[in-house]
Amino acid sequence: MARGTGDILDVSHVVVSDRPLVVCDVDDVVLHFAAPFQEFLLAQGHEFLPRSFNLMGNIVASDTRLEVDIAGVYRLIGAFFEAQESWQLPIEEVVQTLEALSADADVVFLTAMPPLYSQQRRRLLDRLGLAFPLIASEEPKGPMMRRLNAERIFPTTFIDDMAHNLHSVRTHMPDSLLIHMMPDSALHLMAPKPQDDIVRARDWRHAEELIRAHWLPR
Ligand SMILES: [Mg+2]
C-alpha cells in the first residue's frame, strides 16, 4: 500500500465514478473471520475463550491454559492473515449481491487488516469473483471514506460489523446509509452495540434491499 505525503493514507489509486458508492468492510462482512480464526487457533494449539470482547487476554494455549501475551496474539493474527487463502470463505450471498449492485454502483472494500497481508487478500477476493478495489489500512474509516467519495453527491453506503467503524463514518459522512452486519459469534455477541438508529441487515439479500431503497429519490 503506497503512502501519500504526511501520514494520511493515499486512496487515489481507487478511482470512484459518478454513481452511488458502496463501501464494505471485509472481515465478517465479506469473508468469514471469527469462525475460521478460532479453527485456525485450535490447529495452532491455542483457543479463544469468549470472556470479553477482546482477542487480547482471551487466547490461551490449549495444553497449559496459559494466556498468550499481546505480542503472541499479534503473531497469531498475522499468521492467520498470512494463511487466509486456506481459511477464509465468503459470507453467504455476498458474491452474487455485490455483483448485482456493481451494475449500478461502485463497490470498494475497506479492510482494517494490516496492509502487509494485502496481496493474500487480493488473491483470495479475486479467486472468489470479488475483484473490487481494496484499501487495507488501520486508520479510522470515516475520514478514509470521505476522502474516497471526495465531492461526489451520489448516495453512499457503508457496511461493517463493528460499531466504532459505523460511528466513525457517521461522524464524517452523516448522509451515508450505515448498515450493521455481523455473524452471531461469541465475540460479536459481546461487542459494543451500534447506536439505535443504525440498521442491522440480517443477510446480504436484506442489505441489498436497504441499499437500493437508499438510492431512490427522496
Ligand atoms: Mg469486520
Side-chain angles (χ1 to χ4, degrees), residues 25 31 36 38-39 45-46 60 75 93 96 118 121 142 150-151 158 160 162 165 171-172 184 201-202 204 211:
D25 174 39
L31 300 173
Q38 288 178 72
E39 289 166 26
H46 293 84
V60 299
R75 254 196 314 279
E93 307 275 347
Q96 307 88 306
S118 296
R121 177 137 294 178
E151 302 303 318
F158 175 70
D160 206 290
M162 291 294 155
N165 292 327
T171 300
H172 294 272
D184 288 327
R202 295 182 301 275
W204 268 100
I211 293 167

Side-chain angles (χ1 to χ4, degrees), residues 181-201:
M181 198 189 288
M182 67 170 218
D184 288 327
S185 75
L187 187 65
H188 283 84
L189 293 173
M190 290 182 293
K193 304 275 176 281
Q195 285 154 11
D196 284 345
D197 57 330
I198 294 178
V199 62
R200 180 170 172 191

